[in-house]
Amino acid sequence: MHQSVRAASADEMPILDLTALNNGGDLKPIAEKMRHACVTTGFLYVANHGIPESVVSGVFDATRRYFDLPIEQRMPHRMDEKYRRGFMPQGINQHPGFAPDLKESYEIGVDLPLTDPDVAADLALHGPNRWPADCPWLRQASETYFEEAQALGRRLLKVCAVSLDMPEDYFLQFCTKPMVQMRLFHYPPQEPMSDEKAFGVAPHTDYGMITLLLQDPIGGLELKKRDGEWVSAPYVPGTLVINIGDLFQRWTNDIYTSNQHRVVNRTGKERYSIPMFFNLDYRTLISCLPTCQSADNPPKYQPITSGDYLLSRFRDVQKYRVAAA
């Protein structure tokens, strides 16, 4: 049985007001707060993020409507192995040492035509989205939110760069064809006496650059602090949760931290959340940033491309083959 945990404090998960970012103002104050969060817990909230509330409510309505459909209607939409788009039934994701995750999802990414050179060359995770013909409302709401969230991700990369004393547009140069993935998650209620190794999402770290999470009022997200204590990231109206991934930690030479987190739905109600995993171009070389190394703190990791790293991590937890690059 999973025990309840306390809510994170404002210091452990600060709320960043992005008004200055959206209005072209001074990014230094926001960047300083982001750096503090990334060094300590790797998690924060963002308010005044610029995504219209109508877009947020629209994608949640479509998500609920989709997962209310009979499973027999959704199974033909099952995710394809090649492009990694579509419906993923419960039980596909399983982290080592834990039971399969108690969730189901629908995944989309940057929509690329079959004539795109990288798609034609079978570059992994590049391809067209898969939309069910019998659910046109799912595509409309999801694409609208995807574009808004992707634009927010690009803006946040400016803050990330400034927080590391790099030029404001440093990370944006690697966003010509970013590997952005978005998942619509549905968590059925979890039995109170369920196996201690059973979670909505088992403890894990995200693999890539940054994650933008839209969560509903049910909550359920919990993060592990560096001292080992688990705390919850409760729902805060009008915000998104932002956290950094392992690839970003690697890029910063472990100055920024990618903390473990998990989801437990103890409410007895349906839970929905929509994470966007904002990753950079496949061929981006992840090599220690110049501002994150010194004679006393030399680079800890060998350079690797963003896409190769992500593929190696996906293969660890998913029960289907991801096509190699």
Side-chain angles (χ1 to χ4, degrees):
M1 181 177 179
H2 302 298
Q3 301 298 317
S4 296
V5 300
R6 68 172 178 85
S9 68
D11 184 65
E12 291 163 336
M13 272 196 72
I15 299 178
L16 271 63
D17 187 329
L18 299 185
T19 301
L21 172 63
N22 297 329
N23 295 342
D26 183 10
L27 297 187
K28 278 289 187 182
I30 303 175
E32 289 174 358
K33 291 182 179 179
M34 173 178 275
R35 183 180 181 93
H36 173 74
C38 290
V39 167
T40 54
T41 62
F43 278 80
L44 52 97
Y45 295 97
V46 292
N48 296 316
H49 45 68
I51 301 178
E53 178 55 37
S54 60
V55 174
V56 170
S57 60
V59 73
F60 267 134
D61 289 345
T63 300
R64 284 188 287 267
R65 184 177 176 183
Y66 181 75
F67 288 111
D68 279 345
L69 296 174
I71 185 66
E72 295 79 12
Q73 185 175 346
R74 291 182 281 125
M75 282 304 290
H77 313 151
R78 185 163 176 159
M79 179 180 289
D80 62 277
E81 292 186 358
K82 188 171 185 179
Y83 301 129
R84 202 171 183 273
R85 266 74 161 181
F87 171 60
M88 184 186 291
Q90 185 170 309
I92 298 296
N93 269 49
Q94 183 172 5
H95 297 270
F98 292 93
D101 289 345
L102 301 174
K103 71 176 189 308
E104 52 184 351
S105 65
Y106 198 96
E107 183 159 335
I108 69 172
V110 175
D111 197 17
L112 300 172
L114 295 176
T115 54
D116 180 274
D118 287 328
V119 179
D122 288 333
L123 186 63
L125 306 180
H126 288 65
N129 283 326
R130 184 180 185 187
W131 296 111
D134 51 347
C135 308
W137 35 267
L138 181 68
R139 177 174 185 172
Q140 180 180 9
S142 298
E143 286 186 335
T144 300
Y145 177 77
F146 187 94
E147 292 305 315
E148 291 281 357
Q150 185 176 201
L152 173 59
R154 290 176 182 270
R155 294 195 297 273
L156 286 170
L157 288 182
K158 297 180 180 180
V159 185
C160 291
V162 174
S163 76
L164 292 162
D165 297 319
M166 297 295 290
E168 183 179 302
D169 61 352
Y170 180 78
F171 295 119
L172 291 177
Q173 68 181 306
F174 306 118
C175 287
T176 58
K177 198 182 294 181
M179 296 173 63
V180 179
Q181 298 164 298
M182 187 176 88
R183 297 176 189 164
L184 311 176
F185 277 157
H186 169 230
Y187 298 85
Q190 186 169 343
E191 294 294 331
M193 299 303 293
S194 58
D195 187 341
E196 288 189 359
K197 292 188 178 297
F199 293 85
V201 177
H204 69 287
T205 55
D206 286 351
Y207 309 145
M209 187 69 180
I210 59 173
T211 302
L212 293 71
L213 174 69
L214 189 63
Q215 61 173 342
D216 70 6
I218 296 298
L221 174 65
E222 299 173 350
L223 58 129
K224 188 177 184 180
K225 296 171 53 190
R226 284 193 167 185
D227 63 6
E229 181 188 10
W230 286 93
V231 295
S232 71
Y235 170 75
V236 177
T239 69
L240 275 74
V241 176
I242 309 297
N243 66 280
I244 69 167
D246 299 337
L247 199 64
F248 198 16
Q249 175 173 323
R250 183 182 181 119
W251 219 345
T252 66
N253 215 24
D254 292 347
I255 292 175
Y256 284 6
T257 184
S258 173
N259 261 355
Q260 281 200 359
H261 50 286
R262 64 191 185 190
V263 172
V264 181
N265 183 9
R266 303 183 179 89
T267 63
K269 301 177 181 179
E270 311 289 321
R271 179 185 188 264
Y272 304 88
S273 69
I274 303 173
M276 171 175 279
F277 303 96
F278 198 107
N279 299 310
L280 306 181
D281 297 347
Y282 190 104
R283 299 177 181 87
T284 302
L285 189 64
I286 308 301
S287 183
C288 183
L289 295 171
T291 57
C292 297
Q293 58 180 290
S294 65
D296 296 330
N297 186 32
K300 300 177 182 178
Y301 305 101
Q302 291 295 316
I304 188 172
T305 64
S306 175
D308 287 345
Y309 180 83
L310 292 172
L311 279 183
S312 70
R313 298 298 302 277
F314 287 144
R315 293 189 183 105
D316 290 340
V317 299
Q318 288 169 354
K319 297 178 180 178
Y320 63 89
R321 184 173 51 82
V322 181

